[in-house]
């Protein structure tokens, strides 16, 4: 059982969800999900289920309606994590390692306290600040978002 997130945490997640969701819908790229759905990143018997604060799955990877029961056994294309002050470095690293091992193509890690974002693609990490542009690259083609809007 997880402790509920703070309003600050929710504010940053909502801002990204609104911007990303509008873009994905307008360009018919797939679906954006909130923190509630779990994605099964590793099968039983040692299942790993993660619930990113937001996620994107391209439309060609979304399971058929008849297969939409329980946790989906797929990794999102994009996972977004908003870091809470209570999370330890080891907890954050474990989540990121799980995402990367499962094949998540892009991870955005938002640090509200420092107003920075890490954009992670495999072993490449870009550290972005308030004056930078967050981009979807080939995962969410054409998407860009000014971090000054996120951290306003």
């Amino acid at each position: 059982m997880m402790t509920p997130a703070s309003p600050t945490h929710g504010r940053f997640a909502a801002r990204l969800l609104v911007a990303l969701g509008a873009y994905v819908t307008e360009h018919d790229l797939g679906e954006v999900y909130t923190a509630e759905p779990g994605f099964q990143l590793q099968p039983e018997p040692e299942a790993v289920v993660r619930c990113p604060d937001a996620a994107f799955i391209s439309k060609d990877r979304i399971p058929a309606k008849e297969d939409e029961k329980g946790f989906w056994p797929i990794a999102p294309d994009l996972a977004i994590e908003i870091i809470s002050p209570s999370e330890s470095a080891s907890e954050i690293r474990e989540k990121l390692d799980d995402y990367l091992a499962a094949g998540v193509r892009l991870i955005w890690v938002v640090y509200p306290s420092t107003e920075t974002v890490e954009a992670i693609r495999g072993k490449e990490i870009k550290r972005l600040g308030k004056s930078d542009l967050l981009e979807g690259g080939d995962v969410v083609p054409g998407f860009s978002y000014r971090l000054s809007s996120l951290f306003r």
Side-chain angles (χ1 to χ4, degrees):
M1 185 167 285
M2 296 288 295
T3 304
S6 71
T8 301
H9 187 106
R11 175 186 323 129
F12 293 111
R15 287 178 183 170
L16 280 172
L17 276 167
V18 167
L20 182 63
Y23 183 86
V24 165
T25 298
E26 178 183 344
H27 297 278
D28 191 29
L29 298 176
E31 294 288 343
V32 174
Y33 300 89
T34 63
E36 286 80 15
F39 297 94
Q40 187 170 344
L41 304 179
Q42 184 175 318
E44 297 289 348
E46 301 194 20
V48 172
V49 176
R50 290 285 182 194
C51 303
D53 293 307
F56 163 75
I57 299 178
S58 61
K59 70 179 180 179
D60 60 325
R61 295 188 60 241
I62 296 171
K65 294 246 187 256
E66 59 271 9
D67 296 330
E68 288 189 349
K69 295 179 181 87
F71 298 126
W72 290 354
I74 61 172
D77 294 291
L78 166 64
I80 302 170
E81 287 288 344
I82 315 294
I83 301 305
S84 300
S86 63
E87 288 184 278
S88 70
S90 63
E91 290 171 323
I92 296 166
R93 176 56 36 210
E94 185 179 344
K95 281 185 200 180
L96 300 180
D97 287 347
D98 286 346
Y99 290 139
L100 292 170
V104 173
R105 297 170 51 207
L106 178 61
I107 306 167
W108 293 338
V109 185
V110 179
Y111 295 90
S113 62
T114 59
E115 297 188 339
T116 59
V117 174
E118 289 182 346
I120 303 169
R121 291 185 58 97
K123 294 181 192 270
E124 179 188 351
I125 301 173
K126 287 187 182 176
R127 289 178 177 79
L128 306 169
K130 193 172 181 176
S131 63
D132 292 318
L133 197 61
L134 185 62
E135 297 180 298
D138 63 347
V139 177
V140 187
F143 177 79
S144 63
Y145 183 70
R146 294 228 166 266
L147 290 180
S148 58
S149 294
L150 179 63
F151 298 118
R152 64 181 184 266

